[in-house]
Amino acid sequence: MSNPFAASPFDLWLAGDSEVSRLLGEEAERQSTTLQLIASENFTSPAVLAASGSILTNKYAEGYPGRRYYGGNQVIDEVEDLARDRLKALFGAEHANVQPHAGANANLAVYQALLEPGDTILAMRLDHGGHLTHGSPASITSKIWRFVSYGVSQATGDPDKPGEVIDFDQVADVARRERPKLVVAGSTAYSRIIDPLPFREIADSVGALFMFDAAHPAGLIAGGVHPSPVGVADVVTFTTHKTLRGPRGGAIVCQDQFAKAVDSAVFPGLQGGPLEHVIAAKAVAFAEAARPEFRHYAAQVVANAAALGEALEETGIRMVSGGTENHQVLVDLRTFDAELTGKVAQEVLDRAGITCNRNTIPDDPRSPFITSGLRLGSAAQTTAGMGPAEMRTVGALIGRTLRSRDDDGAIARVRAEVHELCSGFPPYPSLAGA
Ligand code: DSN
């Protein structure tokens, strides 16, 4: 297949730089001819691409609308106000900050806004699905604040009550013992709905503030298929590029009482000039997520993840927690093949044109670099138009690939089938040969 963007504006503008143009063409082809199952990725709309590739990248705008440290920001102020207003309307929030360059920055800014160095934060264990910024020893967060953690309950082996879901008794126990200043909900590898209400109650019981990191479910929340933490948590952070399907970046919504502290923590506390081209693209994405068809999309994402998970189970791969209620499928490969690591599985699936990432599973005996699990997501291929039938086919292809991982011919045959499947679901049909 040739570059699906060939002759589109994106390609023509780069015609003078053959090296970068070639690389973009190759990546466009990769994204169009292989399956994108990384749970934190998606395909933005052409309108989001256009805004993030716009002339707004030229402008310095340190500060906030109406209070900038540079001249010439009349239009930029309107852009950022539009993004803030659309975001507040989307989630019913009192205040919005659209400047964080990433979800990690959003989290770091909130910690800085609400806490003093050395204060205690209660967050999810990394090896049970928490994020690096929830206290990884490798993250700056753990060098500034003291983290204590909660995890998921033990696997039971009982299909009716499989366990491996957030253990709220443990959350409450650790909170009572450690008296955190901030309780954090949210994860990067967890296939269940995260109810904000029990976290609120636990935070209140120990006089802590409550932050919900909605990086993964933000689009599901906007689409009405995951309970909203807005109005329950004091502050909600998220990324704009996962299920929300916007440009790569972060954002924060909060109650008015935290607005000043949050804004100051983002700028000048953590960042300099905001990326106004990305903020314009965020505004586009927030408007798209407010449309009725986005609700249909979010419901389809959840249905597709369920279909993928069921198909994987039919091949003998166990779903952690026994199922999925969101866009993610976290699987334990040991039931399929005790020798198969997440690392090897990810690599062989890559060769078959199936892109996903290895992931630790709760109480994984292997290291985070090797792992016993895989994390898959349905958000991107749902955007491309796939439904449950295609997801079941994808699950079967994954099973075939892993079973015949030492057979190059079998892997090449899967790759051809993946290519054929993807050709019916181009992520950017309106740009192909535009
Ligand atoms: N947000 C993470 C992920 O879920 O892929 C990476 O930081």
Side-chain angles (χ1 to χ4, degrees), residues 38-41 131-132 187-189 215-216 239 241-242 328 357 375:
I38 290 182
S40 45
E41 293 182 355
H131 187 249
L132 286 170
S187 67
T188 60
H216 272 270
T239 49
H241 51 271
K242 296 186 175 86
Q328 290 192 15
N357 66 278
R375 186 188 67 162

Side-chain angles (χ1 to χ4, degrees), residues 343-366:
K343 181 171 184 295
V344 167
Q346 178 196 306
E347 286 165 1
V348 70
L349 287 169
D350 234 354
R351 283 167 49 213
I354 301 171
T355 311
C356 62
N357 66 278
R358 61 183 178 273
N359 219 101
T360 49
I361 54 172
D363 302 317
D364 200 323
R366 297 185 172 113

Side-chain angles (χ1 to χ4, degrees), residues 38-393:
I38 290 182
S40 45
E41 293 182 355
N42 212 327
F43 296 115
T44 69
S45 69
V48 167
L49 287 183
S52 59
S54 70
I55 54 162
L56 300 184
T57 194
N58 299 334
K59 192 70 197 89
Y60 243 114
E62 282 186 0
Y64 288 98
R67 286 187 301 112
R68 303 284 188 185
Y69 290 81
Y70 294 79
N73 275 306
Q74 295 82 356
V75 175
I76 294 294
D77 277 4
E78 285 194 50
V79 169
E80 192 166 334
D81 269 336
L82 190 61
R84 296 198 296 190
D85 290 345
R86 286 181 178 181
L87 179 53
K88 285 191 282 181
L90 182 64
F91 288 127
E94 290 180 5
H95 180 73
N97 188 308
V98 293
Q99 292 194 1
H101 301 332
N105 290 31
N107 288 353
L108 204 51
V110 171
Y111 299 161
Q112 194 178 277
L114 304 183
L115 305 170
E116 296 297 328
D119 280 349
T120 300
I121 302 174
L122 173 59
M124 194 161 182
R125 279 170 62 166
L126 258 73
D127 58 345
H128 282 201
H131 187 249
L132 286 170
T133 55
H134 299 172
S136 159
S139 160
I140 184 79
T141 55
S142 69
K143 296 176 174 64
I144 302 177
W145 297 282
R146 174 180 170 263
F147 281 84
V148 292
S149 59
Y150 60 87
V152 298
S153 55
Q154 287 282 321
T156 62
D158 173 356
D160 293 330
K161 272 190 141 198
E164 297 178 304
V165 293
I166 292 171
D167 182 345
F168 282 105
D169 290 339
Q170 194 187 124
V171 182
D173 281 350
V174 182
R176 254 193 313 273
R177 200 173 56 239
E178 302 287 350
R179 313 299 296 186
K181 285 267 185 65
L182 180 70
V183 173
V184 175
S187 67
T188 60
Y190 187 67
S191 60
R192 296 288 174 178
I193 278 173
I194 301 181
D195 184 351
L197 290 172
F199 280 105
R200 175 81 264 177
E201 283 169 20
I202 292 167
D204 286 346
S205 73
V206 296
L209 293 168
F210 172 29
M211 176 187 116
F212 195 108
D213 178 344
H216 272 270
L220 306 183
I221 293 164
V225 294
H226 187 290
S228 177
V230 179
V232 179
D234 297 298
V235 184
V236 178
T237 61
F238 56 96
T239 49
T240 45
H241 51 271
K242 296 186 175 86
T243 52
L244 197 52
R245 211 163 64 182
R248 192 155 291 279
I252 302 169
V253 292
C254 63
Q255 298 165 7
D256 272 336
Q257 60 173 313
F258 301 110
K260 195 168 179 311
V262 163
D263 284 355
S264 306
V266 174
F267 171 84
L270 186 66
Q271 298 182 172
L275 310 178
E276 294 292 345
H277 54 306
V278 178
I279 288 173
K282 288 174 182 171
V284 172
F286 299 150
E288 290 174 356
R291 291 186 193 136
E293 52 266 36
F294 197 85
R295 297 181 83 78
H296 174 74
Y297 165 70
Q300 195 64 53
V301 165
V302 174
N304 280 351
L308 176 62
E310 281 159 22
L312 290 170
E313 281 204 323
E314 279 163 24
T315 73
I317 298 174
R318 186 183 80 86
M319 275 195 278
V320 171
S321 84
T324 173
E325 297 166 335
N326 59 20
H327 60 300
Q328 290 192 15
V329 182
L330 183 65
V331 298
D332 176 358
L333 295 164
R334 293 172 304 175
T335 51
F336 179 82
D337 180 341
E339 301 300 310
L340 179 62
T341 66
K343 181 171 184 295
V344 167
Q346 178 196 306
E347 286 165 1
V348 70
L349 287 169
D350 234 354
R351 283 167 49 213
I354 301 171
T355 311
C356 62
N357 66 278
R358 61 183 178 273
N359 219 101
T360 49
I361 54 172
D363 302 317
D364 200 323
R366 297 185 172 113
S367 76
F369 192 71
I370 304 295
T371 82
S372 301
L374 288 175
R375 186 188 67 162
L376 304 128
S378 59
Q381 292 306 152
T382 304
T383 297
M386 289 190 184
E390 288 76 29
M391 286 294 142
R392 278 190 282 277
T393 301

